Every structure is written in structure tokens, then in C-alpha cells.
């Protein structure tokens, strides 16, 4: 579904009709979530409204550069919810899923005013009074850009930068298959408004901490090629994490390194966790469906990107899953 003029106008009217807004996004927020959150709150505050974005955890290392002068409220304990400023509307960006809003459930239960969703995901099980959802949009930021543009509210460099970050991260810097011509049109428009693409690129992609940099090195050194170089298996042990002084958060997108290999059909990263559990990330190229594979082990996600958690030691989980994966790769008819 693409956005209709009626849907955009209805959401614009909703915003005009209210004065004080709370804005939230999904747990473990990414660039689209945070970019959309800050772009919306800044725009509202600039246009005579009072907006309060709410976060429930510190910004991840990668997105700390977004922590600008935008005011926001940090809720760390359930009791903090009562201290929120009064609001007459709640807007949720980049999700409509209750499962992705676990840390916000006390607010969702307590808040009795109207709720609005601005999103691009097909899955939506959160009750709301109005939605602006475009499931074809590669980022919630692109949906928000159309709304703000319609309201003539898209006219400053900081807001443009937040939206640029939203679109750039959800499209993997305009490289994933969800990248459309619209993404480039909007990128140009946002750059003309003052979004600094070089600074944003450096912050997002050239700013790894030494811990993450070392961890990527370990992951690449661990890479083994199986099944005629179509299967890449990488492994990170608890020892790797302590040697690199790294944490679980540093593994974001490490699996994507395997996609450099032209012959890769499927890649898998085994990450040893405390407590005899292995966290597994997978990526694939068509026609290999990693969602179908991960589903067999209680995991899932998307056809090209999935994950799962499997109980057992790193050695036994790795052996068992690799054997299954090798046989799945052999059965796959790769038409290239
Ligand atoms: Mn998104």
C-alpha cells in the first residue's frame, strides 16, 4: 500500500488538532527509529506544538551522534512513567507491533488519549486511532518526510539530517534491494536542505570503536567456506569478546561482511553466549530462504536475513547446524 493524499491529510489534521505529544519508537531502536523520532519531535516543537520523545535505554554507540540538542525523556524504571509531562496525543514511529514495544507497555496501558502510528511495516497489532503506514516505503523516515513536506514543515537542516539517517540506515546506505528511485530523490532534497551526507556516512559507517573493529577482524579470521564456497560460517566465542573488550551490541551487521564473497549463497555467524546458548545470525542470496531454515530451530525473520538462538555448547551447536545447512545448500537450485 502506498500513501494516499487522504491518508496524509488525515494525519496532518490529527497533528493540527492536538497540542502536546509524546513520541515513542520500538525497543532497541535503529537509525530509522531514532531518525524518525527526532525528526518528528523537532518539527512539532518548531511549529508551536510541545513534543516529548521518550527513550527507555541509552542510545546505542553507533547512534550517539544523533544525541543533539533535541530534548527527550529517559525512562529507566516503571515508576518514572508517572513523571511524564501531560500530553493529549501519543505518536508511535517505525513500528505497530506490541512485541517491539515491551519497554513502553506501561505507557501504552496508562495513556488514554488518541494514539497514532507512522510506519512502514506490514505487521501491526497495536490499537490506534489513526495510522499512516506505507508498507512499500523502505523506511518510516520516508513516510514521515512525505507528511512533513505536505504540512510545509520540512525546511531545516537538522530535521533533514534526521530523516536522511532514517532512510540511509534502513536501505544500508542505498544498497539494499528495498532502495527505490524515491530514496535518491528524497536524499537529494534532504541534502539541498542541508543534510550533510559525508558527516552522516562517517558517523554511521566509519566510526567503529576499537572493540568492534577488533571483533570484525576476529569474525573474518574465523570464516570457513563450505559447499563449494557457497556457505560462509563465522564464529565468535566468549573468549573473542573478552579479548576484544567487546559486547554483544558490537556484533550488529558483522554477518554482512560475508556478503563480500561473490560465491556466497548463505552465511552464518555463531555467537557464543553465557549460559550454554549460541545466538545465530544468517544472511542469504536468492533463492536460499534463511527464514525457512531458521524456523526449523525456533527462529526466523526475513527470507534474506534471519536469526535464532540454540541451546548447547558452541562446538556442538556449530557442528549440528552446519551439517543441516550444508545439506540445505546442496538441495538448493541456484539459478544465476
Ligand atoms: Mn524502519
Amino acid at each position: 500500500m502506498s500513501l494516499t493524499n487522504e491518508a496524509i491529510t488525515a494525519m496532518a489534521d490529527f497533528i493540527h488538532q492536538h497540542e502536546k505529544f509524546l513520541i515513542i519508537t520500538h525497543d532497541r531502536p535503529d537509525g530509522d527509529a531514532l531518525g524518525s523520532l527526532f525528526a518528528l519531535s523537532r518539527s512539532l516543537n518548531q511549529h508551536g506544538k510541545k513534543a516529548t520523545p521518550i527513550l527507555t535505554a541509552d542510545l546505542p554507540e553507533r547512534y550517539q551522534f544523533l544525541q543533539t540538542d533535541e530534548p527527550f525523556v529517559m525512562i529507566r524504571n516503571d515508576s518514572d512513567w508517572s513523571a511524564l509531562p501531560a500530553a493529549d496525543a501519543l505518536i508511535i514511529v517505525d513500528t505497530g507491533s506490541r512485541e517491539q514495544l515491551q519497554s513502553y507497555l506501561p505507557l501504552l496501558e496508562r495513556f488514554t488519549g488518541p494514539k497514532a502510528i507512522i510506519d512502514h511495516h506490514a505487521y501491526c497489532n497495536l490499537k490506534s486511532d489513526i495510522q499512516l503506514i506505507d508498507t512499500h516505503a523502505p523506511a518510516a523516515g520516508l513516510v514521515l518526510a512525505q507528511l512533513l513536506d505536505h504540512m510545509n514543515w520540512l525546511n531545516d537542516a537538522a530535521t533533514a539530517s534526521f530523516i536522511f539517517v532514517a532512510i540511509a540506515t534502513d536501505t544500508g546506505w542505498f544498497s539494499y534491494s528495498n532502495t527505490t528511485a524515491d530514496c535518491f530523490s528524497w536524499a537529494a532534497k534532504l541534502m539541498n536542505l542541508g543534510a550533510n551526507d559525508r558527516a552522516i556516512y562517517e558517523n554511521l559507517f566509519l566510526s567503529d570503536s576499537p572493540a568492534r573493529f577488533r571483533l570484525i577482524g576476529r569474525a573474518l579470521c574465523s570464516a570457513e567456506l563450505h559447499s563449494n564456497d557457497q556457505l560462509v560460517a563465522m564464529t565468535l566465542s566468549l573468549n573473542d569478546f573478552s579479548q576484544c573488550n567487546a559486547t554483544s551490541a558490537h556484533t550488529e551487521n558483522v554477518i554482512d561482511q560475508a556478503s563480500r564473497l561473490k560465491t556466497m549463497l548463505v552465511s552464518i555467524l555463531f555467537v557464543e553466549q553465557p549460559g550454554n546458548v549460541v545466538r545465530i545470525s544468517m544472511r542469504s542470496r536468492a533463492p536460499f530462504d534463511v527464514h525457512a531454515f531458521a524456523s526449523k530451530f525456533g527462529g526466523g525473520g526475513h527470507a534474506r536475513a534471519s536469526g535464532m538462538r540454540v541451546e548447547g555448547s558452541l562446538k556442538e551447536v556449530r557442528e549440528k547446524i552446519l551439517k543441516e545447512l550444508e545439506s540445505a545448500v546442496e538441495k538448493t537450485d541456484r539459478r544465476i
Side-chain angles (χ1 to χ4, degrees), residues 25-26 30-33 36 93-95 119-121 137-141 166 169-170 178:
T25 187
H26 55 82
D30 54 17
D32 187 24
S36 299
V93 296
D94 198 31
T95 188
D119 190 23
H120 67 128
H121 295 96
T169 47
D170 262 19
N178 62 1

Side-chain angles (χ1 to χ4, degrees), residues 15-48:
I15 288 173
H16 286 310
Q17 285 156 11
H18 297 87
E19 295 307 317
K20 296 173 185 164
F21 298 84
L22 300 177
I23 311 173
I24 63 174
T25 187
H26 55 82
D27 296 328
R28 292 181 302 282
D30 54 17
D32 187 24
L34 294 166
S36 299
L37 183 89
F38 287 128
L40 179 57
S41 66
R42 183 178 170 84
S43 299
L44 288 165
N45 285 327
Q46 274 188 330
H47 293 89

